[in-house]
Structure formats: C-alpha cells, structure tokens
Amino acid sequence: AGAAEGRIAVFHFPGQGGSVMGNIQRWVGQFKPPGDSKAKAEIVDRSSKGLKITRVRYSGTYMQAQRPMMMKGPSKAMDNYALLAAIVQTPRGPWFFKGIGPKKTLDAHLSAFDAFLGSLSLKGAKPAAKPAKAADKKADDEKPADKKATNKKK
C-alpha cells in the first residue's frame, strides 16, 4: 500500500504576505508538538539563482481547521502529520509553498521538494511598480496632459 496523500498549496501576494518568521510561526502554530516535547521547527535558509529561500519542516498533531479560511474555531486533530513548506523571496513579493500531510509522505518527498526549490528562477525580475501617493497623483493631475500642445510655437 502507498503512503497517504498530502497537499501542497502555492500562494503569491505581490508586495505583501507578512514576514518570513511570522508565516513560519503561524504555520507551526497549526500543530501541537509530539508528546510532551518542545520540538522546534527545522528552518533552512539558502539562496538559489539569486532567490532567497527559507524551507521549514515540522511534525506533530496537525489541527486542521474545519473552516479553511478561518484560523480560529473548530479543528480536527490529525496525528503524525507534518509541514513541509518554503517561502521564496522575490522582488515582486514572496511566493509561499505550503505542504501538509502524513509525516511519512512528506518525509518521502523531502529531497524532491529541495530539488524543486533549487530549480526555481525568476525571469525578467523587475520590482513591481509602487502605486502613486495621493500627493504625487494630485501634482500629476495639475500638469498639462499633452506637452506637445503646450510647447507649440505660433
């Protein structure tokens, strides 16, 4: 019989998404540590092809939210589960790769996940344009829209 299935979700929030450690703490907080231990997450920082990557592993009892978009409320305890995740920082904002599943399943995919992370690259990397501030917008509104028309010789 094969290992039980896990799931991975990929998220991208251009220009936002919270701090790396804030996300890791929130994800690990979705677990109860195994037994009475004060187990710590394994956090590995690396760079690949100009991208800063933080990979995290943790295992214990996953407290699966019964309402997926709600962090609080009823949850289902899932013993011997694991987190295998990464945050890839880019000039366009972070990318989040969050895997949850049976520990045995995620452990079996660790080397493939690490190889995947090492293969990532960002083509045409230019930071996202920042929205204009209200003061800049007002100043732009007061400028002539067509310079050619205002600079015409008679």
Side-chain angles (χ1 to χ4, degrees):
E5 291 184 3
R7 293 179 181 224
I8 188 163
V10 179
F11 302 94
H12 176 60
F13 303 106
Q16 56 186 343
S19 72
V20 170
M21 285 311 296
N23 279 284
I24 290 171
Q25 289 170 347
R26 185 170 41 80
W27 295 344
V28 169
Q30 295 171 337
F31 285 79
K32 288 185 178 176
D36 293 334
S37 78
K38 300 238 188 270
K40 292 186 179 187
E42 173 190 270
I43 300 171
V44 177
D45 288 310
R46 65 190 256 198
S47 291
S48 178
K49 300 178 185 169
L51 300 173
K52 185 174 179 189
I53 301 168
T54 302
R55 197 244 308 138
V56 60
R57 287 176 69 194
Y58 189 76
S59 62
T61 300
Y62 177 53
M63 303 306 292
Q64 182 183 36
Q66 295 302 293
R67 296 183 195 135
M69 299 309 285
M70 306 297 281
M71 298 304 291
K72 304 278 184 201
S75 60
K76 177 182 174 185
M78 303 178 83
D79 293 330
N80 207 23
Y81 258 56
L83 165 73
L84 179 58
I87 300 171
V88 180
Q89 297 175 62
T90 79
R92 296 179 185 157
W95 284 81
F96 301 90
F97 300 85
K98 181 185 175 193
I100 300 282
K103 183 178 182 326
K104 182 176 179 179
T105 300
L106 295 187
D107 285 350
H109 290 87
L110 175 62
S111 61
F113 187 67
D114 281 342
F116 163 74
L117 295 174
S119 74
L120 296 174
S121 64
L122 186 63
K123 299 199 188 283
K126 292 181 184 173
K130 293 186 179 181
K133 294 179 184 173
D136 294 340
K137 186 171 181 359
K138 184 178 178 184
D140 287 342
D141 290 344
E142 293 172 1
K143 293 177 186 171
D146 184 357
K147 283 190 173 184
K148 286 183 182 178
T150 60
N151 292 333
K152 269 199 234 177
K153 292 185 180 178
K154 294 183 180 178

